[in-house]
């Protein structure tokens, strides 16, 4: 039994030694194999860059939606109460809340920092934020009027989507729909 065990151990050592030598020969003898590994690493870096861009776009977009959503909720409540005759008693309160929310949204949007994107993508994203800021300025103005018309604000939100869409599509993502996201 001892002889079989010793024979098995020597066979295992021989196999492990042979495998180790094959690995060393592959790494050092042929520069082609090393170049293939470098090419694979570069490809992985490219995929990592694409993943990083997607992650940054989605992170910034979700940050915008998360920032704006509470303000949009108050605006929506007021617009719905204007169209609902049963909510007449709360219209003045919701109106003030909505106007304040629109003004606060402008300030909140100004405070959003676009992160982890290159200079060009950051500039495009910031242009979209300028459109979104204009939407809430339009909301603020429209909500103070006798006849509420939020079409201008909704157009600005659509303009925001139009500015963000090429960024998302170039990264292989679906076009954003901020109006749906914040409502």
């Amino acid at each position: 039994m001892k002889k079989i065990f010793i024979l098995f151990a020597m066979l295992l050592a021989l196999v492990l030694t042979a495998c180790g030598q094959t690995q060393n020969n592959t790494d050092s003898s042929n520069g082609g194999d090393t170049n293939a590994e470098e090419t694979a690493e570069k490809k992985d870096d490219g995929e990592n860059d694409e993943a990083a861009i997607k992650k940054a776009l989605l992170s910034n977009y979700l940050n915008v939606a998360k920032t704006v959503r509470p303000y949009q909720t108050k605006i929506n409540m007021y617009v719905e109460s204007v169209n609902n005759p049963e909510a007449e008693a709360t219209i003045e309160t919701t109106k003030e809340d909505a106007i304040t929310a629109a003004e606060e949204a402008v300030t909140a949007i100004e405070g959003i920092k676009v992160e982890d994107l290159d200079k060009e993508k950051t500039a495009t994203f910031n242009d979209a934020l300028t459109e979104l800021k204009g939407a809430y300025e339009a909301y603020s103005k429209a909500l103070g009027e006798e006849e509420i018309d939020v079409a201008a604000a909704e157009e600005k939100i659509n303009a925001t989507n139009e500015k963000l869409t090429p960024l998302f599509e170039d990264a292989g993502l679906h076009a954003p729909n901020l109006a749906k996201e914040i409502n």
Side-chain angles (χ1 to χ4, degrees):
M1 186 73 166
K2 284 183 179 179
K3 290 180 183 179
I4 293 175
F5 182 74
I6 291 173
L7 184 61
F8 181 75
M10 289 192 329
L11 184 61
L12 181 63
L14 183 63
V15 169
L16 290 175
T17 303
C19 289
Q21 287 179 349
T22 303
Q23 180 68 30
N24 288 340
N25 289 342
T26 303
D27 289 345
S28 61
S29 69
N30 188 356
D33 288 334
T34 305
N35 288 338
E37 288 174 8
E38 288 174 3
T39 303
E41 286 177 14
K42 287 179 184 176
K43 184 178 179 183
D44 287 345
D45 287 344
E47 290 172 3
N48 287 341
D49 289 344
E50 288 176 20
I53 290 169
K54 287 179 182 180
K55 181 180 177 183
L57 282 171
L58 290 172
S59 176
N60 285 302
Y61 176 74
L62 292 175
N63 182 37
V64 170
K66 185 177 93 176
T67 300
V68 172
R69 191 176 296 123
Y71 304 113
Q72 186 66 41
T73 300
K74 291 179 181 178
I75 292 167
N76 290 345
M77 286 173 47
Y78 173 61
V79 171
E80 288 174 16
S81 69
V82 168
N83 296 326
N84 183 359
E86 295 175 4
E88 199 170 312
T90 61
I91 285 181
E92 280 305 311
T93 308
T94 56
K95 178 179 182 176
E96 292 303 318
D97 289 347
I99 292 171
T100 302
E103 292 167 352
E104 289 174 352
V106 170
T107 305
I109 292 167
E110 289 173 346
I112 294 174
K113 289 232 178 245
V114 178
E115 298 176 343
D116 301 326
L117 293 174
D118 64 27
K119 208 174 201 179
E120 184 180 324
K121 288 178 179 59
T122 299
T124 303
F125 210 100
N126 282 329
D127 287 345
L129 288 176
T130 300
E131 290 290 339
L132 187 60
K133 179 182 159 191
Y136 284 93
E137 289 168 345
Y139 271 128
S140 181
K141 183 179 177 185
L143 296 173
E145 299 290 324
E146 190 72 30
E147 288 289 320
I148 298 174
D149 183 12
V150 294
E154 291 170 352
E155 287 176 20
K156 291 279 191 179
I157 291 174
N158 289 334
T160 302
N161 284 331
E162 289 172 12
K163 290 195 182 268
L164 291 175
T165 295
L167 291 177
F168 278 69
E169 288 178 347
D170 288 347
L173 298 168
H174 293 288
N177 186 348
L178 191 58
K180 182 178 179 183
E181 196 71 39
I182 61 177
N183 285 315

